[in-house]
Coordinates of all heavy atoms in Angstrom, one line a residue:
M791 N 53.5 135.6 103.3 CA 53.1 137.0 103.2 C 52.8 137.4 101.8 O 53.3 136.9 100.8 CB 54.4 137.8 103.7 CG 54.1 139.3 103.9 SD 55.5 140.2 104.6 CE 55.0 140.0 106.3
T792 N 52.0 138.4 101.7 CA 51.6 138.9 100.5 C 52.6 139.8 99.8 O 53.5 140.4 100.4 CB 50.2 139.7 100.6 OG1 49.8 140.2 99.4 CG2 50.4 140.9 101.5
R793 N 52.5 140.0 98.5 CA 53.4 140.8 97.7 C 52.8 142.3 97.6 O 53.5 143.1 97.2 CB 53.7 140.2 96.4 CG 54.5 138.9 96.4 CD 54.9 138.5 95.0 NE 55.3 137.2 95.0 CZ 56.5 136.7 95.3 NH1 57.3 137.5 95.8 NH2 56.7 135.4 95.1
D794 N 51.6 142.4 97.8 CA 51.0 143.7 97.6 C 50.9 144.5 99.0 O 50.2 144.0 99.9 CB 49.5 143.5 97.1 CG 48.9 144.9 96.8 OD1 49.5 145.9 97.0 OD2 47.7 144.8 96.4
P795 N 51.7 145.5 99.1 CA 51.7 146.2 100.4 C 50.4 146.7 100.9 O 50.1 146.9 102.1 CB 52.6 147.4 100.1 CG 53.4 147.0 98.9 CD 52.6 146.1 98.1
A796 N 49.4 146.9 100.0 CA 48.1 147.4 100.4 C 47.3 146.3 101.1 O 46.4 146.6 101.9 CB 47.3 147.8 99.1
E797 N 47.8 145.1 101.0 CA 47.1 144.0 101.6 C 47.7 143.6 103.0 O 47.2 142.8 103.7 CB 47.1 142.7 100.8 CG 46.3 142.9 99.5 CD 46.4 141.6 98.6 OE1 47.0 140.6 99.1 OE2 45.9 141.7 97.5
L798 N 48.8 144.3 103.4 CA 49.4 144.0 104.6 C 48.6 144.6 105.8 O 47.9 145.6 105.7 CB 50.8 144.7 104.7 CG 51.8 144.1 103.8 CD1 53.1 144.9 103.8 CD2 52.1 142.7 104.1
T799 N 48.5 143.8 106.9 CA 47.8 144.2 108.1 C 48.6 144.8 109.1 O 49.9 144.7 109.1 CB 47.0 143.0 108.6 OG1 48.0 142.1 109.1 CG2 46.1 142.3 107.5
A800 N 48.0 145.3 110.2 CA 48.8 145.8 111.3 C 49.6 144.7 111.9 O 50.7 144.9 112.3 CB 47.8 146.4 112.3
S801 N 49.1 143.5 112.0 CA 49.8 142.4 112.5 C 51.0 142.1 111.6 O 52.0 141.7 112.2 CB 48.9 141.1 112.5 OG 49.5 140.0 113.0
D802 N 51.0 142.2 110.3 CA 52.1 141.9 109.5 C 53.2 142.9 109.8 O 54.4 142.6 109.9 CB 51.7 142.1 108.0 CG 50.7 141.0 107.5 OD1 50.8 139.9 108.0 OD2 49.9 141.3 106.7
Y803 N 52.8 144.2 110.0 CA 53.8 145.3 110.3 C 54.4 145.0 111.6 O 55.6 145.2 111.9 CB 53.2 146.7 110.1 CG 53.1 147.1 108.7 CD1 51.9 147.0 108.0 CD2 54.2 147.7 108.1 CE1 51.8 147.4 106.7 CE2 54.1 148.0 106.7 CZ 52.9 147.9 106.1 OH 52.9 148.4 104.7
L804 N 53.6 144.6 112.6 CA 54.1 144.3 113.9 C 55.0 143.2 114.0 O 56.0 143.2 114.6 CB 52.9 144.2 114.9 CG 53.1 144.2 116.4 CD1 53.8 145.6 116.7 CD2 51.8 144.1 117.1
D805 N 54.7 142.2 113.2 CA 55.6 141.0 113.1 C 57.0 141.5 112.5 O 58.1 141.1 113.0 CB 55.1 139.9 112.2 CG 53.9 139.2 112.8 OD1 53.7 139.3 114.0 OD2 53.2 138.5 112.1
G806 N 56.9 142.3 111.5 CA 58.2 142.9 110.9 C 58.9 143.7 111.9 O 60.2 143.6 112.0
A807 N 58.2 144.5 112.7 CA 58.8 145.3 113.8 C 59.6 144.4 114.8 O 60.7 144.7 115.2 CB 57.8 146.1 114.5
R808 N 58.9 143.4 115.2 CA 59.6 142.4 116.1 C 60.8 141.8 115.5 O 61.9 141.7 116.2 CB 58.6 141.3 116.6 CG 57.5 141.9 117.4 CD 56.6 140.7 117.9 NE 55.5 141.3 118.6 CZ 54.2 141.1 118.2 NH1 53.9 140.5 117.1 NH2 53.2 141.7 118.9
E809 N 60.7 141.4 114.3 CA 61.9 140.8 113.6 C 63.1 141.8 113.5 O 64.2 141.5 113.8 CB 61.6 140.4 112.2 CG 60.7 139.2 112.1 CD 60.4 138.7 110.7 OE1 61.2 139.1 109.8 OE2 59.3 138.2 110.5
M810 N 62.8 143.1 113.2 CA 63.8 144.1 113.1 C 64.4 144.4 114.5 O 65.6 144.6 114.6 CB 63.3 145.4 112.5 CG 63.0 145.3 111.0 SD 64.4 144.8 110.0 CE 64.1 143.1 109.7
A811 N 63.6 144.4 115.5 CA 64.0 144.6 116.9 C 65.0 143.5 117.3 O 66.1 143.8 117.9 CB 62.9 144.8 117.9
S812 N 64.7 142.3 117.0 CA 65.5 141.1 117.2 C 66.8 141.2 116.5 O 67.9 140.7 117.0 CB 64.8 139.8 116.9 OG 63.7 139.6 117.7
A813 N 66.8 141.8 115.4 CA 68.1 142.0 114.6 C 68.8 143.3 114.9 O 69.8 143.7 114.2 CB 67.7 142.0 113.1
N814 N 68.5 143.9 116.0 CA 69.1 145.2 116.4 C 68.9 146.3 115.4 O 69.9 147.1 115.2 CB 70.5 145.0 116.9 CG 70.6 144.2 118.1 OD1 69.8 144.4 119.0 ND2 71.6 143.3 118.2
R815 N 67.8 146.3 114.7 CA 67.6 147.4 113.7 C 66.4 148.2 114.2 O 65.3 148.2 113.7 CB 67.2 146.8 112.3 CG 68.3 145.7 112.0 CD 68.9 145.7 110.6 NE 68.9 146.9 109.8 CZ 68.9 146.8 108.5 NH1 68.7 145.7 107.9 NH2 69.0 147.9 107.8
S816 N 66.7 149.0 115.3 CA 65.7 149.7 116.0 C 64.9 150.7 115.3 O 63.7 150.9 115.4 CB 66.3 150.3 117.3 OG 67.4 151.2 117.0
F817 N 65.6 151.4 114.3 CA 64.9 152.4 113.6 C 63.9 151.9 112.6 O 62.8 152.3 112.5 CB 65.9 153.3 112.8 CG 65.2 154.5 112.1 CD1 64.8 155.5 112.9 CD2 65.0 154.5 110.8 CE1 64.1 156.6 112.3 CE2 64.4 155.6 110.1 CZ 63.9 156.7 111.0
L818 N 64.3 150.7 111.9 CA 63.3 150.0 111.1 C 62.2 149.5 111.9 O 61.0 149.5 111.5 CB 64.0 148.9 110.3 CG 64.9 149.4 109.1 CD1 65.6 148.3 108.5 CD2 64.1 150.2 108.1
A819 N 62.5 148.9 113.1 CA 61.4 148.4 114.0 C 60.5 149.5 114.3 O 59.3 149.3 114.3 CB 62.1 147.8 115.2
H820 N 61.0 150.7 114.6 CA 60.1 151.8 115.0 C 59.2 152.2 113.8 O 58.1 152.4 114.0 CB 61.0 153.0 115.4 CG 60.3 154.3 115.5 ND1 59.4 154.6 116.5 CD2 60.3 155.4 114.7 CE1 58.9 155.7 116.4 NE2 59.4 156.3 115.3
L821 N 59.8 152.3 112.6 CA 59.0 152.6 111.4 C 57.9 151.6 111.2 O 56.8 152.0 110.8 CB 59.9 152.8 110.2 CG 60.9 153.9 110.2 CD1 61.8 153.9 109.0 CD2 60.1 155.3 110.3
L822 N 58.2 150.4 111.3 CA 57.2 149.3 111.0 C 56.1 149.4 112.2 O 55.0 149.2 111.8 CB 57.9 148.0 111.0 CG 58.7 147.7 109.7 CD1 59.6 146.5 109.9 CD2 57.8 147.5 108.5
A823 N 56.6 149.6 113.3 CA 55.6 149.7 114.4 C 54.7 150.9 114.3 O 53.5 150.9 114.6 CB 56.3 149.8 115.8
E824 N 55.2 152.0 113.8 CA 54.4 153.2 113.5 C 53.3 152.9 112.5 O 52.2 153.3 112.6 CB 55.3 154.4 113.1 CG 55.9 155.1 114.1 CD 54.9 155.8 115.1 OE1 53.9 156.4 114.6 OE2 55.2 155.8 116.2
E825 N 53.7 152.2 111.5 CA 52.7 151.8 110.4 C 51.6 150.9 111.0 O 50.5 150.9 110.7 CB 53.4 151.2 109.2 CG 52.4 150.9 108.1 CD 51.7 152.1 107.6 OE1 52.2 153.3 107.7 OE2 50.6 151.9 107.0
A826 N 52.1 149.9 111.9 CA 51.2 149.1 112.6 C 50.2 149.8 113.4 O 49.0 149.6 113.4 CB 51.9 148.0 113.4
A827 N 50.7 150.8 114.1 CA 49.8 151.6 115.0 C 48.8 152.5 114.2 O 47.7 152.6 114.5 CB 50.7 152.5 115.9
R828 N 49.3 152.9 113.1 CA 48.5 153.8 112.2 C 47.3 152.9 111.6 O 46.2 153.4 111.4 CB 49.3 154.3 111.0 CG 48.6 155.4 110.2 CD 49.5 155.8 109.0 NE 49.6 154.9 108.0 CZ 48.6 154.6 107.1 NH1 47.5 155.1 107.1 NH2 48.8 153.7 106.2
R829 N 47.6 151.6 111.4 CA 46.6 150.7 110.8 C 45.7 150.1 111.9 O 44.7 149.4 111.6 CB 47.2 149.6 110.0 CG 47.8 150.1 108.8 CD 48.7 149.1 108.1 NE 49.2 149.6 106.8 CZ 48.9 149.2 105.6 NH1 47.9 148.4 105.5 NH2 49.5 149.8 104.6
T830 N 45.9 150.4 113.2 CA 45.1 149.9 114.3 C 44.0 150.9 114.6 O 44.2 152.1 114.7 CB 46.0 149.7 115.5 OG1 47.0 148.8 115.2 CG2 45.3 149.2 116.7
T831 N 42.8 150.4 114.7 CA 41.6 151.3 115.0 C 41.4 151.7 116.4 O 40.9 152.7 116.7 CB 40.3 150.5 114.5 OG1 40.2 149.4 115.2 CG2 40.4 150.4 113.0
D832 N 42.0 150.8 117.4 CA 41.8 151.1 118.8 C 43.0 152.1 119.3 O 44.2 151.6 119.2 CB 41.8 149.8 119.6 CG 41.8 150.0 121.0 OD1 41.0 150.9 121.5 OD2 42.5 149.4 121.8
P833 N 42.7 153.3 119.7 CA 43.7 154.2 120.2 C 44.6 153.6 121.3 O 45.8 153.9 121.3 CB 43.0 155.4 120.6 CG 41.7 155.3 120.0 CD 41.4 153.8 119.8
A834 N 44.1 152.9 122.2 CA 44.9 152.3 123.3 C 45.8 151.2 122.8 O 47.0 151.2 123.2 CB 44.0 151.7 124.3
T835 N 45.4 150.4 121.8 CA 46.3 149.4 121.3 C 47.4 150.2 120.4 O 48.6 149.8 120.5 CB 45.6 148.5 120.3 OG1 44.5 147.8 121.1 CG2 46.5 147.4 119.7
A836 N 47.1 151.2 119.7 CA 48.1 151.9 118.9 C 49.1 152.6 119.9 O 50.3 152.5 119.6 CB 47.4 153.0 118.1
A837 N 48.6 153.1 121.0 CA 49.6 153.7 122.0 C 50.5 152.6 122.5 O 51.7 152.9 122.8 CB 48.8 154.4 123.1
G838 N 49.9 151.5 122.8 CA 50.8 150.4 123.3 C 51.9 150.0 122.3 O 53.0 149.7 122.7
I839 N 51.5 149.9 121.1 CA 52.5 149.6 120.0 C 53.6 150.6 120.0 O 54.8 150.3 119.9 CB 51.8 149.4 118.6 CG1 50.9 148.2 118.6 CG2 52.8 149.4 117.5 CD1 49.9 148.2 117.4
R840 N 53.2 151.9 120.0 CA 54.2 153.0 119.9 C 55.1 152.9 121.2 O 56.3 153.2 121.0 CB 53.5 154.3 119.8 CG 52.9 154.6 118.4 CD 52.3 156.0 118.2 NE 51.9 156.2 116.9 CZ 50.6 156.0 116.5 NH1 49.6 155.8 117.4 NH2 50.3 156.2 115.3
A841 N 54.5 152.6 122.3 CA 55.3 152.6 123.5 C 56.4 151.4 123.5 O 57.4 151.5 124.1 CB 54.4 152.4 124.8
S842 N 55.9 150.3 122.8 CA 56.8 149.1 122.8 C 58.0 149.3 121.8 O 59.0 148.7 121.9 CB 56.0 147.9 122.3 OG 55.0 147.6 123.2
F843 N 57.8 150.3 120.8 CA 58.9 150.6 119.9 C 59.1 152.0 119.7 O 58.8 152.7 118.7 CB 58.5 150.0 118.5 CG 58.3 148.5 118.5 CD1 57.0 147.9 118.7 CD2 59.3 147.6 118.2 CE1 56.8 146.6 118.7 CE2 59.2 146.2 118.2 CZ 57.9 145.7 118.5
P844 N 59.7 152.6 120.8 CA 60.0 154.0 120.8 C 61.0 154.4 119.7 O 61.8 153.6 119.2 CB 60.5 154.3 122.2 CG 61.1 153.0 122.6 CD 60.3 152.0 122.0
A845 N 61.0 155.7 119.3 CA 62.0 156.2 118.3 C 63.3 156.1 119.0 O 63.5 156.6 120.1 CB 61.6 157.6 118.0
P846 N 64.3 155.6 118.3 CA 65.7 155.5 118.7 C 66.3 156.9 118.7 O 65.8 157.8 118.0 CB 66.4 154.5 117.8 CG 65.6 154.7 116.5 CD 64.2 154.9 116.9
A847 N 67.3 157.1 119.6 CA 68.0 158.4 119.6 C 68.7 158.6 118.2 O 69.1 157.7 117.5 CB 69.1 158.3 120.6
T848 N 68.6 159.8 117.8 CA 69.1 160.1 116.4 C 70.5 160.6 116.5 O 71.2 160.9 115.4 CB 68.3 161.2 115.7 OG1 68.1 162.3 116.5 CG2 66.8 160.7 115.4
T849 N 71.1 160.8 117.6 CA 72.5 161.3 117.8 C 73.3 160.1 118.2 O 72.9 159.2 119.0 CB 72.6 162.4 118.8 OG1 72.1 162.0 120.0 CG2 71.8 163.6 118.3
R850 N 74.5 160.1 117.8 CA 75.5 159.1 118.2 C 76.5 159.6 119.2 O 77.0 160.8 119.0 CB 76.3 158.6 116.9 CG 75.4 157.8 116.0 CD 76.2 157.4 114.8 NE 77.3 156.6 115.0 CZ 78.0 156.1 114.0 NH1 77.7 156.2 112.8 NH2 79.0 155.3 114.3
E851 N 76.8 158.8 120.2 CA 77.8 159.2 121.1 C 79.1 158.4 120.8 O 79.1 157.2 120.7 CB 77.3 159.0 122.5 CG 76.2 159.9 122.9 CD 75.8 159.6 124.4 OE1 76.6 159.1 125.1 OE2 74.6 160.0 124.7
E852 N 80.2 159.1 120.7 CA 81.5 158.5 120.4 C 82.2 158.2 121.8 O 82.1 159.0 122.7 CB 82.4 159.4 119.6 CG 81.8 159.7 118.2 CD 81.7 158.5 117.4 OE1 82.5 157.6 117.5 OE2 80.8 158.4 116.5
N853 N 82.7 157.0 121.9 CA 83.4 156.7 123.1 C 84.8 157.3 123.0 O 85.5 157.1 122.0 CB 83.5 155.1 123.3 CG 82.2 154.5 123.6 OD1 81.3 155.2 124.1 ND2 82.0 153.3 123.2
G854 N 85.2 158.0 124.1 CA 86.4 158.7 124.1 C 87.6 157.9 124.1 O 88.6 157.8 123.7

């Protein structure tokens, strides 16, 4: 992988999103997927990426 963030591709960000999802880091996966979608020129592909990595809930539920 490159050290210059400007050289990263949508595929690089999508790979990172998958890694973060596998590590149960859903918010980071979502952020990386959003960047992958932003760098994708095809709107249908971008929508698919966003659907695969939805924003996690921002509220926490405590077990009683």
Side-chain angles (χ1 to χ4, degrees):
M791 184 174 275
T792 182
R793 294 189 194 280
D794 184 1
E797 294 178 9
L798 294 174
T799 66
S801 180
D802 294 326
Y803 281 98
L804 198 51
D805 288 345
R808 289 185 188 113
E809 288 180 30
M810 291 299 106
S812 294
N814 291 323
R815 309 229 24 213
S816 59
F817 188 70
L818 288 175
H820 168 71
L821 292 176
L822 289 165
E824 277 296 318
E825 185 60 24
R828 191 181 72 75
R829 291 173 180 249
T830 301
T831 57
D832 178 43
T835 301
I839 291 170
R840 287 186 177 101
S842 297
F843 297 92
T848 56
T849 58
R850 289 174 62 173
E851 292 183 22
E852 299 294 327
N853 292 332

